[in-house]
Amino acid sequence: MYLSILQGSIFVADSHYNQKNTQFLVFLKKLENKEIKTSQLFLMGDMIDFISGESRYFIKQNSDVIELLNKLSKTIEIIYLEGNHDYNLKTLFPNINVIKRENQPLLAKFKNKTISLSHGDNFINWKYDLYCKLIRSSILLKFLNFIDINYFISKKIENSLLNKNICHKMNNFKKIVSKRLENYDTDIVIEGHYHQGDIYNINEKIYINIPSLCCQNKYIVFNDLEFIGENI
Protein backbone atom coordinates (compact mmCIF):
# COMPACT_ATOMS: atom_id res chain seq x y z
CA MET A 1 0.00 0.00 0.00
CA TYR A 2 1.48 3.30 -1.11
CA LEU A 3 0.83 6.66 0.50
CA SER A 4 -0.01 9.37 -2.05
CA ILE A 5 2.25 12.41 -1.87
CA LEU A 6 0.28 15.54 -2.69
CA GLN A 7 1.31 18.47 -4.81
CA GLY A 8 2.60 21.23 -2.55
CA SER A 9 3.38 18.94 0.37
CA ILE A 10 6.05 20.16 2.79
CA PHE A 11 8.97 18.20 4.24
CA VAL A 12 10.69 19.28 7.45
CA ALA A 13 13.55 17.47 9.18
CA ASP A 14 15.85 17.66 12.18
CA SER A 15 14.69 20.83 13.87
CA HIS A 16 15.96 19.48 17.24
CA TYR A 17 13.58 21.86 18.98
CA ASN A 18 14.79 22.97 22.41
CA GLN A 19 15.50 26.20 24.33
CA LYS A 20 18.25 27.04 21.84
CA ASN A 21 16.75 25.83 18.54
CA THR A 22 13.31 27.43 18.25
CA GLN A 23 12.87 27.35 14.45
CA PHE A 24 10.28 24.57 14.57
CA LEU A 25 7.90 26.59 16.72
CA VAL A 26 8.33 29.56 14.36
CA PHE A 27 7.52 27.28 11.41
CA LEU A 28 4.42 25.82 13.09
CA LYS A 29 3.10 29.27 13.99
CA LYS A 30 3.47 30.30 10.35
CA LEU A 31 1.42 27.26 9.39
CA GLU A 32 -1.17 28.21 11.98
CA ASN A 33 -1.57 31.77 10.70
CA LYS A 34 -1.52 30.60 7.04
CA GLU A 35 1.73 32.41 6.23
CA ILE A 36 2.89 28.96 5.10
CA LYS A 37 0.21 26.82 3.45
CA THR A 38 0.01 23.10 2.77
CA SER A 39 -2.50 20.27 3.02
CA GLN A 40 0.16 17.61 3.72
CA LEU A 41 3.13 17.86 6.07
CA PHE A 42 5.94 15.32 6.43
CA LEU A 43 7.97 15.53 9.65
CA MET A 44 11.10 13.51 8.93
CA GLY A 45 12.26 12.90 12.50
CA ASP A 46 14.30 14.53 15.27
CA MET A 47 11.80 17.38 15.30
CA ILE A 48 12.22 17.70 19.08
CA ASP A 49 15.69 17.40 20.58
CA PHE A 50 14.42 14.65 22.84
CA ILE A 51 10.97 13.31 23.60
CA SER A 52 9.11 10.06 24.07
CA GLY A 53 5.54 9.33 25.04
CA GLU A 54 6.75 8.18 28.48
CA SER A 55 9.02 11.13 29.36
CA ARG A 56 7.12 13.44 31.72
CA TYR A 57 9.77 16.17 31.85
CA PHE A 58 10.22 16.46 28.10
CA ILE A 59 6.48 16.36 27.45
CA LYS A 60 6.14 19.31 29.82
CA GLN A 61 9.11 21.15 28.27
CA ASN A 62 7.71 20.74 24.76
CA SER A 63 4.02 21.25 25.50
CA ASP A 64 3.79 24.30 23.19
CA VAL A 65 4.93 22.29 20.14
CA ILE A 66 2.81 19.26 21.09
CA GLU A 67 -0.34 21.35 21.46
CA LEU A 68 0.24 23.23 18.22
CA LEU A 69 0.92 20.05 16.23
CA ASN A 70 -2.29 18.51 17.56
CA LYS A 71 -4.21 21.63 16.60
CA LEU A 72 -2.74 21.64 13.07
CA SER A 73 -3.43 17.91 12.65
CA LYS A 74 -7.16 18.68 12.58
CA THR A 75 -6.82 20.52 9.26
CA ILE A 76 -3.52 19.23 7.77
CA GLU A 77 -2.54 15.65 7.01
CA ILE A 78 0.59 15.17 9.10
CA ILE A 79 2.92 12.19 8.69
CA TYR A 80 5.54 11.98 11.44
CA LEU A 81 8.46 9.60 10.88
CA GLU A 82 10.01 8.93 14.27
CA GLY A 83 13.73 9.66 14.55
CA ASN A 84 16.45 8.73 17.00
CA HIS A 85 15.57 11.68 19.27
CA ASP A 86 11.76 11.40 19.16
CA TYR A 87 9.90 8.11 19.53
CA ASN A 88 6.90 6.31 21.08
CA LEU A 89 4.90 9.34 19.97
CA LYS A 90 1.47 7.94 19.11
CA THR A 91 0.02 8.64 22.55
CA LEU A 92 1.03 12.30 22.18
CA PHE A 93 -0.34 12.74 18.65
CA PRO A 94 -3.60 10.78 18.22
CA ASN A 95 -4.54 12.42 14.89
CA ILE A 96 -1.08 12.24 13.31
CA ASN A 97 0.13 9.31 11.20
CA VAL A 98 3.15 8.31 13.30
CA ILE A 99 5.59 5.96 11.53
CA LYS A 100 7.84 4.04 13.94
CA ARG A 101 11.45 3.27 13.02
CA GLU A 102 10.73 -0.42 12.46
CA ASN A 103 8.04 0.52 9.90
CA GLN A 104 10.40 2.66 7.85
CA PRO A 105 10.85 3.15 4.96
CA LEU A 106 7.34 4.37 4.36
CA LEU A 107 6.46 3.70 0.72
CA ALA A 108 4.75 6.45 -1.25
CA LYS A 109 3.87 7.39 -4.80
CA PHE A 110 3.57 10.49 -6.93
CA LYS A 111 2.21 9.90 -10.43
CA ASN A 112 4.35 7.05 -11.80
CA LYS A 113 7.25 7.45 -9.36
CA THR A 114 7.78 5.30 -6.27
CA ILE A 115 9.24 6.97 -3.19
CA SER A 116 10.80 5.69 0.04
CA LEU A 117 10.73 7.87 3.14
CA SER A 118 12.87 7.26 6.23
CA HIS A 119 14.30 9.32 9.02
CA GLY A 120 17.67 7.93 7.92
CA ASP A 121 19.03 5.98 10.90
CA ASN A 122 17.89 2.60 9.58
CA PHE A 123 20.08 0.10 7.69
CA ILE A 124 23.06 0.71 10.01
CA ASN A 125 23.91 -2.61 11.69
CA TRP A 126 22.42 -5.12 14.13
CA LYS A 127 24.12 -3.54 17.15
CA TYR A 128 22.49 -0.18 16.43
CA ASP A 129 19.15 -1.93 15.84
CA LEU A 130 19.42 -3.57 19.26
CA TYR A 131 20.32 -0.25 20.90
CA CYS A 132 17.29 1.41 19.26
CA LYS A 133 15.01 -1.35 20.50
CA LEU A 134 16.31 -1.03 24.06
CA ILE A 135 16.04 2.75 24.35
CA ARG A 136 12.46 2.62 22.98
CA SER A 137 11.38 0.07 25.58
CA SER A 138 8.32 1.47 27.33
CA ILE A 139 9.18 -0.55 30.45
CA LEU A 140 12.68 0.98 30.61
CA LEU A 141 11.41 4.51 29.98
CA LYS A 142 8.72 4.22 32.65
CA PHE A 143 11.30 2.91 35.13
CA LEU A 144 13.61 5.85 34.34
CA ASN A 145 10.68 8.18 34.95
CA PHE A 146 10.09 6.53 38.31
CA ILE A 147 13.67 7.14 39.49
CA ASP A 148 13.92 10.58 37.84
CA ILE A 149 13.58 12.43 41.16
CA ASN A 150 13.30 16.20 40.57
CA TYR A 151 14.01 15.36 36.92
CA PHE A 152 17.73 14.98 37.60
CA ILE A 153 18.16 12.41 34.78
CA SER A 154 16.09 14.42 32.31
CA LYS A 155 17.95 17.63 33.06
CA LYS A 156 21.31 15.91 32.51
CA ILE A 157 20.09 14.68 29.14
CA GLU A 158 18.77 18.13 28.29
CA ASN A 159 22.03 19.90 29.20
CA SER A 160 24.07 17.39 27.23
CA LEU A 161 21.94 17.95 24.13
CA LEU A 162 22.02 21.74 24.50
CA ASN A 163 25.83 21.67 24.47
CA LYS A 164 26.10 19.35 21.48
CA ASN A 165 27.21 20.70 18.07
CA ILE A 166 25.01 18.98 15.48
CA CYS A 167 25.69 21.15 12.43
CA HIS A 168 28.66 20.15 10.32
CA LYS A 169 29.44 19.25 6.70
CA MET A 170 30.14 15.60 5.90
CA ASN A 171 32.85 15.37 3.22
CA ASN A 172 32.10 11.69 2.51
CA PHE A 173 28.33 12.07 2.34
CA LYS A 174 27.97 11.00 -1.32
CA LYS A 175 29.72 7.73 -0.48
CA ILE A 176 27.32 7.21 2.44
CA VAL A 177 24.37 7.93 0.14
CA SER A 178 25.58 5.40 -2.45
CA LYS A 179 25.76 2.72 0.24
CA ARG A 180 22.34 3.60 1.64
CA LEU A 181 20.68 3.44 -1.78
CA GLU A 182 21.55 -0.26 -1.99
CA ASN A 183 18.82 -0.83 0.61
CA TYR A 184 16.06 0.87 -1.38
CA ASP A 185 14.09 -0.29 -4.40
CA THR A 186 12.24 2.90 -5.38
CA ASP A 187 12.80 5.74 -7.83
CA ILE A 188 13.25 8.35 -5.12
CA VAL A 189 14.59 8.15 -1.56
CA ILE A 190 13.89 10.92 0.95
CA GLU A 191 15.66 11.03 4.32
CA GLY A 192 16.56 13.38 7.13
CA HIS A 193 19.03 12.59 9.93
CA TYR A 194 22.26 13.71 8.23
CA HIS A 195 21.73 17.50 8.31
CA GLN A 196 23.25 17.98 4.85
CA GLY A 197 20.40 19.15 2.60
CA ASP A 198 21.94 17.59 -0.53
CA ILE A 199 20.38 15.95 -3.59
CA TYR A 200 22.08 13.21 -5.64
CA ASN A 201 21.21 11.23 -8.76
CA ILE A 202 22.99 7.87 -8.48
CA ASN A 203 22.31 4.80 -10.63
CA GLU A 204 19.00 6.24 -11.83
CA LYS A 205 17.80 6.83 -8.26
CA ILE A 206 17.22 10.29 -6.83
CA TYR A 207 18.29 10.79 -3.22
CA ILE A 208 17.06 13.81 -1.26
CA ASN A 209 18.42 14.66 2.15
CA ILE A 210 15.98 17.14 3.67
CA PRO A 211 17.83 20.14 5.16
CA SER A 212 18.02 20.39 8.92
CA LEU A 213 15.65 23.13 10.04
CA CYS A 214 18.01 24.13 12.86
CA CYS A 215 21.21 23.98 10.77
CA GLN A 216 20.12 25.28 7.36
CA ASN A 217 16.90 27.09 8.45
CA LYS A 218 15.09 25.51 5.49
CA TYR A 219 12.19 23.25 4.71
CA ILE A 220 11.30 21.62 1.38
CA VAL A 221 8.22 22.16 -0.80
CA PHE A 222 7.37 19.32 -3.19
CA ASN A 223 6.21 20.59 -6.59
CA ASP A 224 5.95 18.25 -9.62
CA LEU A 225 8.94 16.13 -8.57
CA GLU A 226 10.96 19.24 -7.80
CA PHE A 227 12.14 19.75 -4.26
CA ILE A 228 12.31 23.47 -3.56
CA GLY A 229 14.08 24.79 -0.49
CA GLU A 230 12.33 27.59 1.41
CA ASN A 231 13.74 29.65 4.25
CA ILE A 232 11.65 30.01 7.38
Side-chain angles (χ1 to χ4, degrees):
M1 188 71 179
Y2 288 89
L3 176 77
S4 293
I5 295 183
L6 304 179
Q7 191 78 266
S9 59
I10 287 178
F11 293 78
V12 188
D14 300 278
S15 54
H16 290 270
Y17 178 74
N18 57 26
Q19 301 165 34
K20 183 174 65 175
N21 304 320
T22 60
Q23 296 93 331
F24 191 41
L25 185 59
V26 173
F27 170 81
L28 293 177
K29 286 181 176 178
K30 287 186 177 184
L31 274 178
E32 182 185 30
N33 65 26
K34 311 295 185 186
E35 188 176 340
I36 297 173
K37 296 180 182 179
T38 189
S39 58
Q40 188 180 53
L41 174 64
F42 289 89
L43 304 176
M44 299 297 294
D46 289 1
M47 307 314 301
I48 295 170
D49 210 20
F50 179 75
I51 196 166
S52 79
E54 298 85 2
S55 301
R56 293 172 300 161
Y57 176 78
F58 288 102
I59 291 171
K60 180 181 176 182
Q61 288 294 93
N62 295 285
S63 60
D64 46 2
V65 163
I66 295 169
E67 289 171 10
L68 191 45
L69 275 171
N70 280 321
K71 179 181 179 181
L72 290 168
S73 71
K74 295 175 182 177
T75 56
I76 299 172
E77 180 188 9
I78 302 179
I79 300 95
Y80 196 137
L81 285 80
E82 293 186 343
N84 52 303
H85 286 246
D86 43 1
Y87 42 82
N88 298 358
L89 300 179
K90 190 57 186 176
T91 56
L92 301 179
F93 302 117
N95 297 318
I96 291 176
N97 185 5
V98 176
I99 311 298
K100 299 178 76 65
R101 179 181 182 270
E102 56 263 34
N103 296 325
Q104 298 174 32
L106 172 67
L107 297 179
K109 263 192 174 182
F110 181 79
K111 296 182 179 177
N112 64 335
K113 296 294 184 181
T114 56
I115 303 168
S116 293
L117 301 107
S118 297
H119 170 61
D121 71 327
N122 50 353
F123 306 124
I124 306 297
N125 55 52
W126 70 267
K127 293 178 184 178
Y128 184 73
D129 287 342
L130 178 60
Y131 162 76
C132 288
K133 188 172 182 178
L134 289 173
I135 64 168
R136 286 164 174 77
S137 166
S138 187
I139 294 172
L140 173 63
L141 291 167
K142 286 176 181 177
F143 172 72
L144 291 174
N145 260 326
F146 179 72
I147 64 172
D148 194 17
I149 309 301
N150 295 322
Y151 302 126
F152 79 99
I153 297 174
S154 295
K155 288 179 180 178
K156 279 189 174 183
I157 293 171
E158 183 178 50
N159 288 332
S160 174
L161 290 170
L162 284 169
N163 291 319
K164 190 175 180 181
N165 177 21
I166 61 171
C167 300
H168 57 273
K169 196 67 179 173
M170 299 171 64
N171 295 325
N172 64 334
F173 188 53
K174 187 174 182 180
K175 185 176 180 181
I176 292 171
V177 168
S178 296
K179 186 69 175 175
R180 290 195 59 74
L181 285 175
E182 294 174 4
N183 300 289
Y184 292 100
D185 190 27
T186 53
D187 302 308
I188 300 170
V189 175
I190 303 174
E191 295 186 330
H193 187 58
Y194 296 98
H195 305 178
Q196 300 301 295
D198 291 332
I199 297 177
Y200 295 99
N201 194 329
I202 300 173
N203 296 329
E204 299 183 351
K205 291 182 183 178
I206 297 172
Y207 178 92
I208 298 101
N209 184 241
I210 303 298
S212 163
L213 194 66
C214 74
C215 295
Q216 285 97 25
N217 292 299
K218 285 186 176 181
Y219 61 93
I220 293 292
V221 178
F222 179 80
N223 188 8
D224 269 337
L225 292 176
E226 288 189 28
F227 294 82
I228 302 166
E230 298 282 353
N231 294 317
I232 60 164

